[in-house]
């Protein structure tokens, strides 16, 4: 048996060599005059790769069309007759984005400085959506325009944002149906979300992937389309009915999204990075409005801060170099963590399952010794560690 397998492999190697030799002879005999065999081979390789790229583009376009049709079919199953209400003139993505198309420089004053001044609240909210983002939700008017088919929104976006158009539209319509059903205007069957998990997962995944690309290299001023995309995501995960469906199917993807945002904070080394760090930080805080995402986010932040503190202590004891950029950026994670823990404490909404787990135990273990050794050289970081430990301990006291 071993001999046969070995012989089969030898035959495969032999046929491969013969095929390569035959291809080489064919190229040599068919090459046009004035071109060397190498040049002709490179030309053929380029032609084949262009054809492959063309087929890939066609496949991607067809896949996008299939997803769009599935989205439309799912919406029609959930609510066959969809009522479009009179929206606030300044609240919807359509109005905002049309306004930006007409006057694209209307927001040119956003974030034009070096990025070092983070006192501007609007600069802080421009990516993360203002804390009262829910005010952009649509009001239901008594006048009803019943449509057999849901019309697409007139979204204007750049070429890099085109991949977000379909998921944003789909999720916007889903939220509209949810709001209208809550107001008793339409009848909707959201159990259909369970029957078509692919469409929901794919739409949310596309939205998260697009936002991740943007947050890794943000451009200012921020377009209203991206602002609306973040708003749609936050409304989706905080909706009492839809969030359970989304988290059940997309929790791993949302976890990956949070990890990517955290790493984008730690890795950002640009000089004018502070506005971007503020924006990503605020988006993380908004994601924490969902209880399940908040608990896992606290654990992730505790892990990152603890690991950096241990690495910094090791570098300090060995008199070794440490990453100064990461040291500067770690304060953003500390501030997010402190804000989340402070909110929990103030709201007295603490349970033993929130963040009283393995990461909390690891974080508090030997923390006093770490603070003691780092306090002289790194007083500000040591202060943040101490403040986080106080909040964790006060939460435990409330539980007890």
């Amino acid at each position: 048996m071993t001999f046969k397998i070995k012989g089969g492999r030898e035959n495969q190697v032999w046929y491969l060599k013969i095929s390569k030799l035959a291809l080489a002879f064919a190229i040599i005999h068919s090459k046009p005059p004035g071109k060397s065999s190498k040049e002709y081979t490179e030309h053929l390789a380029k032609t084949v790769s262009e054809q492959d790229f063309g087929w890939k583009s066609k496949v991607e376009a067809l896949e996008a069309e299939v997803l769009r049709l599935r989205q439309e079919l799912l919406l029609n199953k959930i609510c066959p007759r969809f009522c479009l209400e009179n929206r606030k003139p300044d609240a919807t993505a359509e109005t905002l984005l049309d306004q930006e198309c007409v006057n694209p420089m209307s927001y040119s004053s956003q974030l034009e400085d070096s990025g070092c001044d983070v006192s501007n609240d609007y600069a802080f909210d421009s990516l993360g959506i203002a804390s009262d983002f829910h005010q952009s939700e649509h009001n239901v008017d008594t006048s009803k325009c019943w449509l057999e088919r849901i019309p697409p929104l007139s979204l204007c976006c750049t070429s890099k944002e085109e991949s977000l158009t379909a998921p944003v539209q789909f999720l916007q319509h889903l939220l509209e149906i949810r709001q209208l059903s809550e107001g008793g205007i339409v009848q909707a069957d959201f159990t259909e979300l369970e029957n078509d998990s692919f469409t929901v997962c794919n739409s949310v995944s596309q939205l998260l992937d697009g936002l991740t690309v943007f947050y890794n290299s943000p451009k200012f001023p921020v377009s209203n389309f991206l602002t609306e995309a973040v708003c749609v995501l936050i409304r989706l995960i905080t909706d009492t009915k839809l969030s359970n469906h989304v988290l059940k199917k997309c929790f791993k993807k949302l976890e990956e999204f949070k990890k990517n945002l955290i790493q984008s904070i730690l890795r950002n080394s640009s000089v004018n990075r502070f506005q971007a760090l503020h924006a990503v930080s605020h988006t993380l805080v908004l994601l924490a409005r969902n209880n399940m995402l908040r608990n896992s986010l606290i654990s992730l932040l505790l892990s990152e801060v603890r690991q950096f503190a241990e690495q910094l202590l090791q570098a300090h004891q060995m008199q070794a170099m440490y990453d100064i950029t990461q040291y500067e950026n770690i304060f953003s994670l500390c501030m997010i963590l402190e804000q989340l823990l402070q909110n929990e404490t103030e709201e007295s909404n603490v349970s033993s399952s929130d963040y009283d787990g393995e990461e909390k135990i690891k974080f508090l273990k030997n923390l006093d010794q770490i603070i003691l050794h780092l306090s002289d050289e790194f007083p500000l970081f040591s202060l943040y560690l101490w403040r986080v430990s106080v909040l964790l301990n006060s939460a435990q006291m409330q539980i007890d």
Side-chain angles (χ1 to χ4, degrees):
M1 181 66 68
T2 305
F3 176 76
K4 289 182 179 180
I5 294 175
K6 184 177 179 181
R9 289 177 180 172
E10 289 179 350
N11 287 336
Q12 289 178 359
V13 173
W14 174 253
Y15 286 132
L16 181 61
K17 289 181 179 179
I18 292 295
S19 299
K20 288 181 177 180
L21 186 61
L23 178 61
F25 277 117
I27 291 174
I28 292 172
H29 285 295
S30 63
K31 74 179 183 66
K35 274 192 176 183
S36 66
S37 298
K38 180 181 179 181
E39 291 174 342
Y40 187 51
T41 302
E42 291 174 348
H43 168 73
L44 292 175
K46 182 179 179 182
T47 302
V48 172
S49 64
E50 288 176 351
Q51 291 176 351
D52 289 343
F53 180 78
W55 280 111
K56 288 180 181 178
S57 300
K58 291 179 181 178
V59 170
E60 290 174 356
L62 290 173
E63 288 177 345
E65 179 63 15
V66 169
L67 178 60
R68 187 192 67 78
L69 293 173
R70 293 189 65 149
Q71 289 170 341
E72 185 174 324
L73 178 62
L74 179 57
L75 289 174
N76 285 328
K77 286 182 178 179
I78 293 173
C79 182
R81 298 177 63 83
F82 179 48
C83 172
L84 289 180
E85 72 281 10
N86 290 333
R87 300 176 174 89
K88 291 182 179 180
D90 60 343
T92 65
E94 180 178 3
T95 305
L96 286 171
L97 295 170
D98 286 344
Q99 179 182 357
E100 185 179 9
C101 287
V102 174
N103 185 15
M105 298 303 293
S106 61
Y107 298 94
S108 61
S109 61
Q110 287 186 42
L111 312 176
E112 288 182 341
D113 61 13
S114 65
C116 298
D117 182 7
V118 294
S119 61
N120 187 343
D121 291 337
Y122 185 72
F124 178 72
D125 288 337
S126 61
L127 277 177
I129 314 301
S131 59
D132 57 344
F133 73 95
H134 57 273
Q135 292 181 357
S136 68
E137 295 180 352
H138 310 137
N139 284 347
V140 178
D141 193 85
T142 53
S143 59
K144 303 174 183 178
C145 176
W146 296 97
L147 300 179
E148 293 294 336
R149 187 177 176 213
I150 304 170
L153 296 179
S154 301
L155 297 173
C156 70
C157 53
T158 66
S159 57
K160 292 183 178 180
E161 298 166 354
E162 286 179 357
S163 60
L164 285 174
T165 305
V168 169
Q169 286 180 338
F170 168 68
L171 296 172
Q172 277 178 329
H173 286 313
L174 197 61
L175 288 163
E176 284 188 0
I177 294 174
R178 167 76 177 99
Q179 185 179 359
L180 291 171
S181 66
E182 187 74 12
I185 304 300
V186 299
Q187 295 293 324
D189 181 14
F190 288 99
T191 59
E192 290 292 338
L193 293 176
E194 299 287 349
N195 301 328
D196 192 359
S197 59
F198 171 83
T199 301
V200 177
C201 288
N202 208 309
S203 300
V204 175
S205 295
Q206 283 190 1
L207 175 58
L208 296 177
D209 288 340
L211 290 176
T212 299
V213 171
F214 169 74
Y215 279 119
N216 285 336
S217 56
K219 303 295 182 183
F220 300 104
V222 182
S223 71
N224 288 317
F225 179 83
L226 286 165
T227 300
E228 180 68 14
V230 178
C231 183
V232 166
L233 174 62
I234 303 305
R235 288 174 59 201
L236 189 68
I237 65 171
T238 54
D239 187 280
T240 54
K241 181 171 288 188
L242 296 179
S243 61
N244 291 332
H245 294 284
V246 173
L247 289 177
K248 189 183 300 182
K249 301 173 179 63
C250 309
F251 183 77
K252 289 184 178 179
K253 189 68 178 182
L254 286 163
E255 286 294 287
E256 180 184 341
F257 179 61
K258 289 188 299 183
K259 291 177 181 178
N260 288 334
L261 293 187
I262 290 173
Q263 291 305 313
S264 71
I265 291 177
L266 292 175
R267 292 195 307 262
N268 198 324
S269 59
S270 62
V271 176
N272 299 328
R273 64 182 180 273
F274 301 103
Q275 290 170 335
L277 296 184
H278 257 63
V280 179
S281 299
H282 194 50
T283 299
L284 284 169
V285 172
L286 289 177
L287 288 172
R289 290 187 171 189
N290 179 281
N291 291 337
M292 190 179 299
L293 295 179
R294 180 188 63 245
N295 299 338
S296 62
L297 177 57
I298 290 176
S299 295
L300 286 173
L301 293 171
L302 286 172
S303 176
E304 290 291 344
V305 174
R306 174 185 57 81
Q307 291 180 41
F308 179 80
E310 293 173 351
Q311 293 170 5
L312 186 62
L313 176 61
Q314 184 179 6
H316 176 63
Q317 291 176 337
M318 299 177 62
Q319 297 297 310
M321 297 293 293
Y322 64 93
D323 190 338
I324 184 63
T325 299
Q326 193 170 2
Y327 175 77
E328 293 173 348
N329 294 342
I330 199 69
F331 288 101
S332 294
L333 300 189
C334 291
M335 286 186 284
I336 299 170
L337 183 56
E338 184 179 8
Q339 182 176 348
L340 297 181
L341 295 176
Q342 184 67 39
N343 290 344
E344 291 280 359
T345 304
E346 290 177 353
E347 295 171 5
S348 299
N349 185 27
V350 182
S351 67
S352 58
S353 62
D354 280 344
Y355 43 83
D356 185 27
E358 183 179 354
E359 286 303 330
K360 176 184 173 181
I361 296 172
K362 289 181 179 179
F363 184 87
L364 293 176
K365 183 179 180 181
N366 300 325
L367 184 63
D368 292 339
Q369 290 297 319
I370 293 176
I371 293 175
L372 179 63
H373 287 93
L374 294 180
S375 57
D376 290 338
E377 191 73 21
F378 307 98
L380 183 58
F381 181 59
S382 300
L383 177 61
Y384 268 101
L385 291 178
W386 176 78
R387 289 166 62 169
V388 170
S389 68
V390 169
L391 288 169
L392 285 172
N393 287 323
S394 64
Q396 183 62 43
M397 291 174 62
Q398 291 187 31
I399 294 173
D400 297 339

